[in-house]
Amino acid sequence: MTATGVRAHARIVARADGRGGTALPVLDGEGPLALRRTRAGGGEARVMVVGAMSGPLGGDRFSLDARVEEGARLHVGSAAATIALPGQAKGEAHYDVRLDVADGGELRWLPEQLISAGGSDLHVTTRAELAAGARLVLREEQVLGRVGEEPGRLTSRLTVRVAGRTVLDQELSCGPGAPGGWDGPAVLAGHRSVGQLVVVRPEFAEQPVAARMLGECAALVPLAGPAVLVSAVAPDALALRRLLDEALTRLA
């Protein structure tokens, strides 16, 4: 820990073991980003991110890198929700995620919700780089404030590139100090939970998925590549998870 907050970095490398399974030659976490391998099957390796400390707090900088090599399959989740909190150090907190999936690799990135507590200021960036034959399921869920609490400021940027081509690059800023209209009818419309689901599959290039509404609060949109985006808003985290789970089932 420094005068400006905690610095923490975690790294995962998944590699085909030559026997139909997936090895983890690199599984390295520190401080609040502890990594644990859990039981899995079907050739997939499963890793949980376990929060060993509170945070991220103001001034903290967390980063997590995951690489899935050719033929490997990796599922990453988290043991509990991540809560952004105000801290003694001044300045915003940063949480940077970098995902790299090689040709023939598969990554399921399914962490629990990120909760923006009152008084916090967090900037999250997630960048996924995929080869042409890579597969990805990526879920992001943000909850603005705990029960009965106004949210902190949360800025989230999500970028997905396939074979060197950007198929998605979006940013959402919510809470005090965010650009006007974030809570208006064109964005969250008074809801307090927002989420995205990105699914990348090579077969989508030949058989694209048609755009459609998924009820009143979610929409599925094909991207300019072998990928689709589901965006949803909901009054709470449970309703948001239900919407995204239903969308993923429809894409299965």
Side-chain angles (χ1 to χ4, degrees):
M1 181 173 180
T2 70
T4 56
V6 173
R7 302 291 184 268
H9 178 70
R11 185 167 174 249
I12 307 168
V13 175
R15 180 176 298 158
D17 64 8
R19 303 186 303 275
T22 298
L24 297 173
V26 178
L27 189 64
D28 183 23
E30 60 184 11
L33 297 177
L35 304 177
R36 300 288 184 267
R37 180 165 189 168
T38 61
R39 182 175 298 179
E44 177 186 77
R46 188 176 290 249
V47 174
M48 298 294 288
V49 181
V50 180
M53 299 169 58
S54 297
L57 309 177
D60 289 353
R61 288 184 175 269
F62 296 174
S63 62
L64 197 160
D65 298 335
R67 173 169 174 75
V68 181
E69 298 185 353
E70 185 175 355
R73 298 177 59 200
L74 175 65
H75 180 127
V76 179
S78 56
T82 297
I83 305 178
L85 297 165
Q88 294 182 346
K90 295 182 179 180
E92 64 183 9
H94 290 261
Y95 198 154
D96 298 319
V97 175
R98 297 293 180 267
L99 311 174
D100 188 351
V101 188
D103 200 47
E106 180 177 335
L107 173 62
R108 295 176 66 84
W109 186 263
L110 300 169
E112 294 300 310
Q113 298 91 351
L114 170 62
I115 301 172
S116 174
S120 65
D121 188 355
L122 177 63
H123 194 286
V124 180
T125 60
T126 302
R127 185 179 182 89
E129 291 276 355
L130 282 74
R135 303 169 73 87
L136 173 72
V137 175
L138 182 152
R139 182 184 68 211
E140 283 193 343
E141 298 168 307
Q142 289 109 25
V143 179
L144 305 180
R146 294 169 290 191
V147 177
E149 175 186 64
E150 289 299 311
R153 179 168 180 176
L154 175 64
T155 301
S156 176
R157 183 168 183 176
L158 173 60
T159 305
V160 179
R161 289 166 51 87
V162 179
R165 180 185 183 187
T166 300
V167 300
L168 176 67
D169 190 355
Q170 69 174 25
E171 182 172 293
L172 177 65
S173 186
C174 304
W182 67 270
D183 200 25
V187 187
L188 297 188
H191 292 90
R192 282 296 177 265
S193 295
V194 57
Q196 294 76 234
L197 177 72
V198 179
V199 180
V200 180
R201 293 177 181 159
E203 56 265 32
F204 287 164
E206 299 296 330
Q207 299 174 327
V209 179
R212 59 183 182 270
M213 294 297 296
L214 304 176
E216 295 184 359
C217 296
L220 183 152
V221 179
L223 301 176
V228 298
L229 169 68
V230 176
S231 297
V233 295
D236 55 49
L238 183 61
L240 177 65
R241 176 65 59 84
R242 187 180 301 116
L243 284 170
L244 295 181
D245 282 350
E246 290 175 356
L248 186 55
T249 299
R250 294 188 186 194
L251 291 168

